[in-house]
Structures are given as structure tokens and as C-alpha cells.
Amino acid sequence: MSAAQTNENAAQKLGVAADMVVQEFGWDEDVDEEIRSDVQDALGADLLDEDAGEVVDVVLLWWRDGDGDLVDALVDAIELLAEDGFIWVLSPKTGQPGYVEQSEISEAAPTAGLATTKVIGLGDWSGTRIVQLKAKGNPKK
């Protein structure tokens, strides 16, 4: 199976659709450009970089072993995240350089006030979907 087939529908798997605003953190030369391209094609726009200052629907956080403190990175990622927005932590799969234990991601999320919801495969990368916890003082009626 080619990389293109492996990443087919990456945007769909990530829940990214036209008119969403997506910000990217942690870009480096090792990221999967086919995933990025598929997301940008679905959006009909470029991904925003780490310095963008607008509210976003989705954050793609490329994360590798040795990148630093994941809790700090998640806190930075939610700064401009819409209330119903979500984060995808994209990390290399087992056996790939920079592999991150899933438990590290699962433990970092609640420390940052977030919760993991699912894990998917995207070629040589795994994606962990992370959402914000609902505010306690703001019940929905």
C-alpha cells in the first residue's frame, strides 16, 4: 500500500472539513506532507502556523519524543481553540524515530484540563484526539 493510499481521507479521519480554521504546531521536516496536503485540500486553505492569532477549530500538534513538555504544548494549543474545537496530537507510530508512548499523551491531557477521545492511524503517524473539558460553571440548559 502506498503512502498516498494509507493517508487517503486523512482530513475525513481527522474530522476536518471546508470552512474550518486549522492551526499547526510542531511542524518539522519529518511531518507527513501528504496528511498536511489532504487537510489543506479539504479546507480549501492553508494551515495557520504557531504564531497565528485567531480562534481555531482544530489544532494539529506534531509531537515526537524529545520535543519537550507535552502539557505545556497542549496548554499553548488551547489558547485560541474554539469552545467546541479539538486537538490532534500526531506522533510517530511504534518503531518510528521519535515514537511517543500513548500513555504519555493520555496522562498529559488531563493535566492540561483536557480529555482524550480516540486514537487513529495515519500512515507512519498516530493521531490522538483531545477535547476541552466542559466548564463547570456554565451548564447547558
Side-chain angles (χ1 to χ4, degrees), residues 69-78 87 89 102-116 130-133:
D69 187 324
L70 181 54
V71 173
D72 288 345
L74 290 171
V75 169
D76 290 346
I78 62 173
I87 298 168
V89 176
Q102 184 60 42
S103 61
E104 180 181 334
I105 298 168
S106 297
E107 290 169 11
T111 305
L114 305 166
T116 59
I130 298 178
V131 298
Q132 300 176 82
L133 299 174

Side-chain angles (χ1 to χ4, degrees), residues 37-93:
S37 178
D38 191 53
V39 169
Q40 291 179 114
D41 288 349
L43 294 173
D46 290 336
L47 301 173
L48 300 179
D49 65 21
E50 294 178 20
D51 299 324
E54 61 185 274
V55 175
V56 299
D57 301 301
V58 181
V59 170
L60 299 181
L61 173 59
W62 299 94
W63 193 259
R64 305 144 200 89
D65 184 44
D67 277 355
D69 187 324
L70 181 54
V71 173
D72 288 345
L74 290 171
V75 169
D76 290 346
I78 62 173
E79 189 173 321
L80 294 171
L81 189 64
E83 186 177 319
D84 60 347
F86 51 91
I87 298 168
W88 281 102
V89 176
L90 302 171
S91 58
K93 283 188 175 176

